[in-house]
Short mmCIF file of all heavy atoms in Angstrom, two decimals:
data_model
loop_
_atom_site.label_atom_id
_atom_site.label_comp_id
_atom_site.label_asym_id
_atom_site.label_seq_id
_atom_site.Cartn_x
_atom_site.Cartn_y
_atom_site.Cartn_z
N ARG A 1 121.73 12.65 125.41
CA ARG A 1 121.52 13.33 124.14
C ARG A 1 120.11 13.05 123.62
O ARG A 1 119.63 11.92 123.68
CB ARG A 1 122.56 12.87 123.12
CG ARG A 1 122.45 13.57 121.77
CD ARG A 1 123.53 13.08 120.80
NE ARG A 1 123.41 13.73 119.52
CZ ARG A 1 123.91 14.92 119.22
NH1 ARG A 1 124.59 15.58 120.15
NH2 ARG A 1 123.76 15.45 118.02
N VAL A 2 119.47 14.08 123.09
CA VAL A 2 118.14 13.93 122.50
C VAL A 2 118.30 13.57 121.02
O VAL A 2 118.60 14.42 120.19
CB VAL A 2 117.31 15.23 122.64
CG1 VAL A 2 115.93 15.04 122.01
CG2 VAL A 2 117.18 15.62 124.10
N ASP A 3 118.12 12.31 120.70
CA ASP A 3 118.24 11.86 119.31
C ASP A 3 116.91 11.93 118.57
O ASP A 3 116.86 12.16 117.37
CB ASP A 3 118.78 10.42 119.28
CG ASP A 3 120.21 10.34 119.80
OD1 ASP A 3 121.02 11.23 119.45
OD2 ASP A 3 120.51 9.41 120.57
N ASP A 4 115.82 11.70 119.30
CA ASP A 4 114.48 11.73 118.71
C ASP A 4 113.59 12.62 119.56
O ASP A 4 113.11 12.21 120.62
CB ASP A 4 113.90 10.32 118.63
CG ASP A 4 112.52 10.29 117.96
OD1 ASP A 4 112.00 11.37 117.62
OD2 ASP A 4 111.98 9.19 117.80
N PRO A 5 113.35 13.88 119.14
CA PRO A 5 112.54 14.81 119.94
C PRO A 5 111.13 14.31 120.21
O PRO A 5 110.47 14.79 121.14
CB PRO A 5 112.52 16.08 119.10
CG PRO A 5 113.71 15.98 118.21
CD PRO A 5 113.87 14.52 117.92
N GLY A 6 110.62 13.38 119.42
CA GLY A 6 109.27 12.87 119.62
C GLY A 6 109.19 11.73 120.61
O GLY A 6 108.10 11.25 120.92
N LYS A 7 110.33 11.29 121.13
CA LYS A 7 110.35 10.17 122.06
C LYS A 7 110.71 10.65 123.45
O LYS A 7 111.65 11.42 123.64
CB LYS A 7 111.37 9.12 121.59
CG LYS A 7 111.40 7.87 122.44
CD LYS A 7 112.41 6.87 121.89
CE LYS A 7 112.44 5.61 122.73
NZ LYS A 7 113.43 4.63 122.21
N ALA A 8 109.93 10.22 124.42
CA ALA A 8 110.18 10.64 125.81
C ALA A 8 111.51 10.10 126.32
O ALA A 8 111.92 8.99 125.98
CB ALA A 8 109.05 10.16 126.71
N ILE A 9 112.18 10.89 127.13
CA ILE A 9 113.42 10.48 127.78
C ILE A 9 113.13 10.31 129.27
O ILE A 9 112.51 11.16 129.88
CB ILE A 9 114.53 11.52 127.56
CG1 ILE A 9 114.94 11.55 126.08
CG2 ILE A 9 115.74 11.20 128.43
CD1 ILE A 9 116.00 12.60 125.78
N GLU A 10 113.60 9.21 129.84
CA GLU A 10 113.38 8.94 131.25
C GLU A 10 114.70 8.83 131.99
O GLU A 10 115.66 8.26 131.48
CB GLU A 10 112.59 7.65 131.44
CG GLU A 10 111.14 7.72 130.99
CD GLU A 10 110.37 6.48 131.36
OE1 GLU A 10 111.01 5.46 131.75
OE2 GLU A 10 109.13 6.50 131.29
N PHE A 11 114.73 9.39 133.19
CA PHE A 11 115.85 9.21 134.11
C PHE A 11 115.29 8.59 135.38
O PHE A 11 114.26 9.03 135.90
CB PHE A 11 116.50 10.56 134.43
CG PHE A 11 117.02 11.28 133.22
CD1 PHE A 11 116.27 12.27 132.60
CD2 PHE A 11 118.26 10.97 132.69
CE1 PHE A 11 116.74 12.94 131.49
CE2 PHE A 11 118.75 11.64 131.57
CZ PHE A 11 117.98 12.62 130.97
N LYS A 12 115.96 7.56 135.89
CA LYS A 12 115.43 6.84 137.04
C LYS A 12 116.52 6.64 138.09
O LYS A 12 117.69 6.46 137.77
CB LYS A 12 114.91 5.46 136.62
CG LYS A 12 113.73 5.51 135.65
CD LYS A 12 113.26 4.11 135.30
CE LYS A 12 112.09 4.13 134.32
NZ LYS A 12 111.61 2.76 133.99
N GLU A 13 116.09 6.68 139.33
CA GLU A 13 117.00 6.34 140.43
C GLU A 13 116.21 5.58 141.49
O GLU A 13 115.04 5.87 141.74
CB GLU A 13 117.64 7.59 141.04
CG GLU A 13 116.64 8.61 141.55
CD GLU A 13 117.32 9.80 142.22
OE1 GLU A 13 118.22 9.56 143.04
OE2 GLU A 13 116.93 10.94 141.94
N THR A 14 116.85 4.61 142.09
CA THR A 14 116.26 3.85 143.19
C THR A 14 117.26 3.86 144.34
O THR A 14 118.42 3.48 144.16
CB THR A 14 115.97 2.40 142.78
OG1 THR A 14 115.11 2.39 141.63
CG2 THR A 14 115.30 1.65 143.91
N PHE A 15 116.83 4.34 145.48
CA PHE A 15 117.74 4.40 146.62
C PHE A 15 117.00 4.06 147.90
O PHE A 15 115.77 4.05 147.95
CB PHE A 15 118.38 5.80 146.74
CG PHE A 15 117.38 6.92 146.90
CD1 PHE A 15 116.95 7.32 148.15
CD2 PHE A 15 116.89 7.58 145.78
CE1 PHE A 15 116.04 8.34 148.30
CE2 PHE A 15 115.98 8.62 145.91
CZ PHE A 15 115.55 9.00 147.18
N GLU A 16 117.75 3.72 148.93
CA GLU A 16 117.15 3.42 150.23
C GLU A 16 117.78 4.32 151.29
O GLU A 16 118.90 4.80 151.15
CB GLU A 16 117.34 1.95 150.60
CG GLU A 16 118.78 1.53 150.79
CD GLU A 16 118.90 0.05 151.17
OE1 GLU A 16 117.88 -0.65 151.13
OE2 GLU A 16 120.03 -0.38 151.51
N TYR A 17 117.02 4.56 152.34
CA TYR A 17 117.50 5.39 153.44
C TYR A 17 116.83 4.94 154.72
O TYR A 17 115.80 4.26 154.70
CB TYR A 17 117.21 6.88 153.17
CG TYR A 17 115.74 7.22 153.12
CD1 TYR A 17 115.09 7.73 154.24
CD2 TYR A 17 115.00 7.02 151.97
CE1 TYR A 17 113.73 8.03 154.21
CE2 TYR A 17 113.65 7.31 151.92
CZ TYR A 17 113.02 7.82 153.04
OH TYR A 17 111.68 8.11 153.00
N THR A 18 117.40 5.31 155.84
CA THR A 18 116.85 4.98 157.14
C THR A 18 116.22 6.23 157.74
O THR A 18 116.84 7.29 157.78
CB THR A 18 117.94 4.45 158.09
OG1 THR A 18 118.53 3.29 157.51
CG2 THR A 18 117.35 4.10 159.45
N SER A 19 114.99 6.10 158.19
CA SER A 19 114.27 7.22 158.78
C SER A 19 113.86 6.86 160.20
O SER A 19 113.42 5.74 160.45
CB SER A 19 113.04 7.56 157.94
OG SER A 19 112.31 8.62 158.50
N PHE A 20 114.00 7.81 161.12
CA PHE A 20 113.64 7.52 162.50
C PHE A 20 113.19 8.79 163.20
O PHE A 20 113.56 9.90 162.81
CB PHE A 20 114.82 6.90 163.27
CG PHE A 20 116.09 7.68 163.18
CD1 PHE A 20 116.37 8.70 164.08
CD2 PHE A 20 117.02 7.40 162.18
CE1 PHE A 20 117.54 9.42 163.99
CE2 PHE A 20 118.20 8.13 162.08
CZ PHE A 20 118.47 9.14 162.99
N ALA A 21 112.36 8.63 164.21
CA ALA A 21 111.93 9.77 165.01
C ALA A 21 113.10 10.26 165.86
O ALA A 21 114.03 9.52 166.17
CB ALA A 21 110.75 9.38 165.91
N TYR A 22 113.03 11.54 166.23
CA TYR A 22 114.08 12.13 167.06
C TYR A 22 113.43 12.84 168.22
O TYR A 22 112.66 13.79 168.03
CB TYR A 22 114.91 13.11 166.21
CG TYR A 22 116.11 13.68 166.93
CD1 TYR A 22 117.11 12.85 167.42
CD2 TYR A 22 116.23 15.05 167.13
CE1 TYR A 22 118.21 13.36 168.08
CE2 TYR A 22 117.33 15.58 167.78
CZ TYR A 22 118.32 14.73 168.26
OH TYR A 22 119.40 15.25 168.92
N TYR A 23 113.68 12.35 169.45
CA TYR A 23 113.03 12.92 170.62
C TYR A 23 114.03 13.06 171.76
O TYR A 23 114.03 12.29 172.72
CB TYR A 23 111.85 12.05 171.05
CG TYR A 23 110.96 12.73 172.06
CD1 TYR A 23 109.93 13.57 171.65
CD2 TYR A 23 111.17 12.57 173.43
CE1 TYR A 23 109.13 14.22 172.56
CE2 TYR A 23 110.37 13.21 174.35
CZ TYR A 23 109.35 14.04 173.91
OH TYR A 23 108.57 14.69 174.83
N PRO A 24 114.92 14.04 171.67
CA PRO A 24 115.84 14.28 172.78
C PRO A 24 115.10 14.86 173.98
O PRO A 24 114.09 15.55 173.83
CB PRO A 24 116.83 15.29 172.20
CG PRO A 24 116.04 16.03 171.18
CD PRO A 24 115.10 15.01 170.58
N LYS A 25 115.59 14.59 175.16
CA LYS A 25 114.99 15.15 176.37
C LYS A 25 115.60 16.52 176.63
O LYS A 25 116.72 16.63 177.14
CB LYS A 25 115.22 14.21 177.56
CG LYS A 25 114.51 12.86 177.40
CD LYS A 25 114.74 11.97 178.62
CE LYS A 25 114.01 10.64 178.47
NZ LYS A 25 114.23 9.75 179.63
N ILE A 26 114.87 17.56 176.24
CA ILE A 26 115.37 18.92 176.41
C ILE A 26 114.70 19.58 177.61
O ILE A 26 113.53 19.34 177.89
CB ILE A 26 115.17 19.75 175.13
CG1 ILE A 26 113.72 19.74 174.68
CG2 ILE A 26 116.06 19.23 174.01
CD1 ILE A 26 113.44 20.55 173.43
N ASP A 27 115.47 20.40 178.30
CA ASP A 27 115.01 21.01 179.55
C ASP A 27 115.47 22.47 179.56
O ASP A 27 116.67 22.74 179.44
CB ASP A 27 115.61 20.24 180.73
CG ASP A 27 115.12 20.73 182.09
OD1 ASP A 27 114.63 21.88 182.17
OD2 ASP A 27 115.24 19.98 183.07
N GLU A 28 114.53 23.39 179.72
CA GLU A 28 114.86 24.81 179.71
C GLU A 28 115.91 25.16 180.76
O GLU A 28 116.74 26.06 180.54
CB GLU A 28 113.60 25.65 179.96
CG GLU A 28 112.56 25.56 178.86
CD GLU A 28 111.29 26.31 179.22
OE1 GLU A 28 111.23 26.88 180.34
OE2 GLU A 28 110.35 26.34 178.39
N THR A 29 115.89 24.47 181.89
CA THR A 29 116.81 24.80 182.98
C THR A 29 118.24 24.36 182.70
O THR A 29 119.16 24.75 183.43
CB THR A 29 116.33 24.16 184.30
OG1 THR A 29 116.40 22.72 184.19
CG2 THR A 29 114.91 24.57 184.61
N LYS A 30 118.44 23.55 181.67
CA LYS A 30 119.78 23.03 181.37
C LYS A 30 120.40 23.67 180.13
O LYS A 30 121.45 23.23 179.65
CB LYS A 30 119.71 21.52 181.20
CG LYS A 30 119.28 20.79 182.47
CD LYS A 30 119.24 19.28 182.28
CE LYS A 30 118.80 18.58 183.56
NZ LYS A 30 118.74 17.10 183.39
N VAL A 31 119.77 24.71 179.58
CA VAL A 31 120.30 25.39 178.41
C VAL A 31 121.61 26.09 178.76
O VAL A 31 121.74 26.69 179.83
CB VAL A 31 119.28 26.41 177.87
CG1 VAL A 31 119.89 27.28 176.78
CG2 VAL A 31 118.05 25.69 177.35
N GLN A 32 122.55 25.99 177.85
CA GLN A 32 123.87 26.59 178.04
C GLN A 32 124.11 27.68 176.99
O GLN A 32 123.45 27.70 175.95
CB GLN A 32 124.96 25.52 177.92
CG GLN A 32 124.86 24.41 178.95
CD GLN A 32 125.88 23.31 178.71
OE1 GLN A 32 126.71 23.40 177.80
NE2 GLN A 32 125.82 22.27 179.53
N PRO A 33 125.05 28.59 177.24
CA PRO A 33 125.39 29.60 176.22
C PRO A 33 125.99 28.93 174.99
O PRO A 33 126.43 27.78 175.03
CB PRO A 33 126.42 30.48 176.93
CG PRO A 33 126.25 30.19 178.40
CD PRO A 33 125.80 28.76 178.48
N LEU A 34 126.01 29.67 173.89
CA LEU A 34 126.66 29.17 172.68
C LEU A 34 128.15 28.94 172.95
O LEU A 34 128.74 29.64 173.79
CB LEU A 34 126.49 30.15 171.53
CG LEU A 34 125.08 30.27 170.93
CD1 LEU A 34 125.03 31.45 169.95
CD2 LEU A 34 124.67 28.98 170.24
N PRO A 35 128.78 28.00 172.25
CA PRO A 35 130.21 27.78 172.41
C PRO A 35 130.99 29.08 172.16
O PRO A 35 130.59 29.92 171.35
CB PRO A 35 130.54 26.72 171.36
CG PRO A 35 129.24 26.02 171.11
CD PRO A 35 128.18 27.05 171.28
N SER A 36 132.12 29.24 172.83
CA SER A 36 132.91 30.46 172.72
C SER A 36 133.43 30.69 171.30
O SER A 36 133.72 31.82 170.91
CB SER A 36 134.08 30.41 173.70
OG SER A 36 134.90 29.27 173.45
N ASP A 37 133.56 29.61 170.53
CA ASP A 37 134.07 29.74 169.16
C ASP A 37 132.94 29.72 168.11
O ASP A 37 133.18 29.41 166.94
CB ASP A 37 135.07 28.63 168.85
CG ASP A 37 134.47 27.23 168.99
OD1 ASP A 37 133.31 27.11 169.49
OD2 ASP A 37 135.12 26.24 168.58
N TRP A 38 131.71 30.04 168.50
CA TRP A 38 130.58 29.97 167.58
C TRP A 38 130.72 30.97 166.44
O TRP A 38 130.34 30.71 165.29
CB TRP A 38 129.28 30.19 168.34
CG TRP A 38 128.07 29.94 167.49
CD1 TRP A 38 127.24 30.86 166.92
CD2 TRP A 38 127.57 28.66 167.07
NE1 TRP A 38 126.26 30.25 166.19
CE2 TRP A 38 126.43 28.89 166.27
CE3 TRP A 38 127.98 27.34 167.30
CZ2 TRP A 38 125.70 27.85 165.69
CZ3 TRP A 38 127.25 26.31 166.74
CH2 TRP A 38 126.12 26.58 165.95
N ASN A 39 131.22 32.14 166.74
CA ASN A 39 131.54 33.16 165.72
C ASN A 39 130.35 33.60 164.88
O ASN A 39 130.49 33.89 163.68
CB ASN A 39 132.67 32.67 164.79
CG ASN A 39 133.98 32.47 165.54
OD1 ASN A 39 134.28 33.23 166.45
ND2 ASN A 39 134.74 31.45 165.17
N GLY A 40 129.18 33.63 165.47
CA GLY A 40 128.03 34.21 164.79
C GLY A 40 127.40 33.38 163.70
O GLY A 40 126.57 33.89 162.93
N ALA A 41 127.74 32.10 163.60
CA ALA A 41 127.19 31.26 162.52
C ALA A 41 125.68 31.14 162.64
O ALA A 41 125.14 30.98 163.75
CB ALA A 41 127.82 29.87 162.56
#
């Protein structure tokens, strides 16, 4: 609630997360068709 319009209101959050590189070994010759139940997603 804004009780004093002349006073700044602050909202703060502090969180942690894990970040990592992603490097799967992909090969054009091993590509497969979409699953039979993909349904156009």
Side-chain angles (χ1 to χ4, degrees):
R1 182 179 179 84
V2 180
D3 294 318
D4 182 356
K7 184 178 180 181
I9 293 178
E10 291 187 347
F11 301 97
K12 297 181 180 181
E13 57 177 313
T14 303
F15 58 89
E16 64 180 8
Y17 65 97
T18 301
S19 179
F20 52 88
Y22 185 60
Y23 193 86
K25 295 181 179 179
I26 54 179
D27 184 340
E28 295 175 359
T29 65
K30 297 181 180 179
V31 172
Q32 299 175 3
L34 289 171
S36 58
D37 60 350
W38 188 257
N39 296 324

